[in-house]
């Protein structure tokens, strides 16, 4: 290869044929390496990858799609409210997809209105996605996905429905409530998530089931919106009217707001009120007092969703990663203690 053939010398970007010349193979072989074909000798694939690195070659995704009739694009349907868990899962999905040679296109639902859900799904399908991951745990989304009978595989990360990569939300909630009961609490309030979120519904069911299993009368759950502001406002209101010694909040942000409300009315956590959250967001260990909560493996959920989807597509190499043994477990910190009254 002469100096004038080197892309840098001509001021142009390297092409697949440049890579083929440097590696001493056909451009079809380079294409197979780029598309992760398993029908190549390891030493041949290594030579091609070395040439790609030497030339700093970046495959043209549009050209690849035209040549292979494959978009290698995964659609992600997200919720209108982006929580820590949702953001973490989408980041994990993007990393796992990229490692497998796929790209993401993400659409967030404006509302959970059925017409908006259908329009969002249609927007993704118009981009020729090869599969769809729904990180959209509203109750209305799952039936619509089933009703549409999409021509591509669908993976959900909600707790019921089409196919699912999820933690047992009800079991996590029961563990949180059981912890409070074992400490001696009997008057336990639940601040739940939004009515139309599947996770919120399952956590609420877990609260009710554990209270019933211990012959304790449940308080009517309060439906929130996942935000610390709601937790604060609900706490200011409820603590004046409810005679409770413990609160199980549907997520850590509402728990944080509730703890603020406890302090704002001159009481303290956990001396007067014990508080448990759900999710174990990074800040939970640094609240004062540090928050007892239920930890979820959001990265693992997202990674397994991609592995499951690619397995359906016949593209996944190796074994689908299993859930970690501690993928959902109670983390006991200082926001809970036996009741003082």
């Amino acid at each position: 290869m002469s100096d004038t053939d080197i892309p840098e010398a001509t001021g142009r970007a390297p092409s697949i044929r440049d890579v083929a010349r440097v590696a001493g193979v056909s451009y079809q072989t380079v294409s197979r390496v780029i598309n992760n074909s398993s029908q190549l000798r390891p030493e041949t694939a290594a030579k091609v990858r070395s040439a790609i690195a030497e030339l700093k070659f970046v495959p043209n995704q549009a050209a690849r799609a035209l040549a292979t009739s494959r978009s290698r694009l995964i659609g992600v349907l997200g919720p209108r409210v982006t929580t820590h868990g949702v953001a973490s899962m989408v980041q994990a999905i993007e990393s796992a997809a990229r490692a497998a040679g796929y790209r993401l296109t993400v659409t967030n639902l404006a509302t959970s209105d059925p017409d908006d859900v259908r329009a969002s799904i249609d927007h993704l399908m118009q981009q020729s996605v090869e599969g769809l991951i729904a990180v959209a745990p509203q109750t209305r989304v799952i039936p619509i996905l089933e009703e549409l009978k999409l021509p591509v595989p669908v993976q959900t990360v909600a707790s019921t429905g089409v196919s699912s990569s999820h933690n047992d939300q009800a079991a996590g909630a029961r563990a949180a409530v059981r912890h409070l009961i074992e400490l001696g609490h009997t008057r336990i309030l639940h601040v739940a998530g939004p009515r139309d979120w599947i996770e919120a519904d399952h956590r609420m069911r877990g609260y009710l089931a554990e209270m019933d299993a211990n012959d304790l009368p449940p308080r009517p759950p309060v439906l929130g919106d996942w935000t610390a502001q709601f937790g604060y406002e609900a706490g200011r209101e409820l603590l004046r009217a409810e005679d409770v010694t413990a609160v199980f909040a549907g997520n850590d942000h509402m728990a944080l707001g509730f703890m603020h409300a406890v302090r704002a009315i001159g009481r303290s956590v956990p001396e007067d009120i014990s508080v448990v959250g759900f999710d174990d967001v990074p800040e939970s260990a640094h609240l004062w007092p540090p928050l007892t909560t239920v930890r979820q493996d959001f990265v693992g959920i997202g990674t397994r969703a991609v592995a499951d989807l690619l397995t359906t597509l016949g593209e996944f190499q190796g074994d689908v990663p299993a859930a970690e043994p501690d993928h959902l477990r109670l983390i006991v910190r200082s926001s809970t203690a036996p009741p003082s009254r």
Side-chain angles (χ1 to χ4, degrees):
M1 189 174 185
S2 68
D3 286 345
T4 55
D5 291 329
I6 298 173
E8 289 141 335
T10 61
R12 64 178 176 82
S15 70
I16 192 171
R17 294 183 185 275
D18 294 323
V19 174
R21 280 197 296 272
V22 170
V25 298
S26 69
Y27 75 87
Q28 292 95 333
T29 298
V30 176
S31 177
R32 292 189 188 100
V33 172
I34 292 170
N35 287 294
N36 298 312
S37 171
S38 59
Q39 300 176 344
L40 289 171
R41 290 185 300 173
E43 56 270 26
T44 301
K47 280 200 305 183
V48 172
R49 292 193 180 97
S50 176
I52 288 173
E54 178 185 337
L55 294 175
K56 299 181 175 63
F57 171 68
V58 178
N60 184 308
Q61 297 289 348
R64 285 175 65 186
L66 287 172
T68 63
S69 299
R70 296 279 306 279
S71 69
R72 299 195 74 81
L73 191 62
I74 293 173
V76 174
L77 184 67
R80 66 185 186 274
V81 178
T82 302
T83 63
H84 165 77
V86 168
S88 298
M89 283 188 285
V90 172
Q91 288 176 3
I93 289 168
E94 196 276 333
S95 295
R98 187 174 66 248
Y102 281 77
R103 297 169 297 134
L104 291 192
T105 176
V106 181
T107 294
N108 291 318
L109 295 170
T111 71
S112 59
D113 179 82
D115 288 340
D116 285 337
V117 175
R118 292 188 185 93
S120 296
I121 294 171
D122 185 56
H123 174 72
L124 291 171
M125 296 305 298
Q126 287 177 5
Q127 299 177 63
S128 300
V129 297
E130 295 189 16
L132 190 147
I133 297 177
V135 190
Q138 292 96 326
T139 54
R140 292 183 178 185
V141 173
I142 304 301
I144 292 172
L145 285 169
E146 293 173 333
E147 162 204 315
L148 291 176
K149 294 182 170 54
L150 299 175
V152 300
V154 175
Q155 188 71 26
T156 73
V157 289
S159 19
T160 60
V162 180
S163 69
S164 155
S165 293
H166 69 280
N167 292 314
D168 188 345
Q169 305 293 307
R174 292 192 68 160
V177 177
R178 189 180 311 120
H179 167 67
L180 293 170
I181 293 171
E182 288 173 349
L183 287 173
H185 294 278
T186 58
R187 291 167 288 160
I188 304 169
L189 176 69
H190 178 42
V191 179
R195 181 187 300 275
D196 62 339
W197 282 57
I198 296 172
E199 279 81 353
D201 179 66
H202 280 241
R203 293 172 197 177
M204 181 170 63
R205 290 172 186 267
Y207 160 77
L208 295 171
E210 192 62 28
M211 294 291 282
D212 182 65
N214 287 274
D215 294 322
L216 295 175
R219 307 295 172 106
V222 179
L223 301 182
D225 63 4
W226 298 133
T227 67
Q229 184 63 31
F230 180 88
Y232 174 74
E233 292 172 355
R236 291 292 298 255
E237 184 114 359
L238 292 167
L239 290 172
R240 292 192 182 96
E242 293 276 357
D243 180 26
V244 297
T245 62
V247 171
F248 165 47
N251 76 340
D252 288 353
H253 289 99
M254 291 192 297
L256 165 63
F258 202 97
M259 289 165 67
H260 182 191
V262 173
R263 291 190 296 271
I265 64 170
R267 299 165 77 180
S268 61
V269 176
E271 290 79 8
D272 298 309
I273 303 283
S274 284
V275 179
V276 181
F278 205 109
D279 288 342
D280 194 28
V281 302
E283 299 80 10
S284 294
H286 306 287
L287 301 176
W288 191 254
L291 180 64
T292 295
T293 184
V294 178
R295 175 176 293 167
Q296 295 204 75
D297 179 18
F298 293 116
V299 172
I301 297 170
T303 301
R304 287 189 295 277
V306 173
D308 288 341
L309 184 68
L310 295 184
T311 298
T312 305
L313 289 167
E315 289 279 311
F316 188 73
Q317 304 294 321
D319 298 324
V320 175
E324 292 297 322
D326 63 348
H327 67 284
L328 189 151
R329 64 190 177 99
L330 183 70
I331 306 297
V332 178
R333 299 194 179 105
S334 305
S335 67
T336 52
S340 58
R341 56 189 173 90

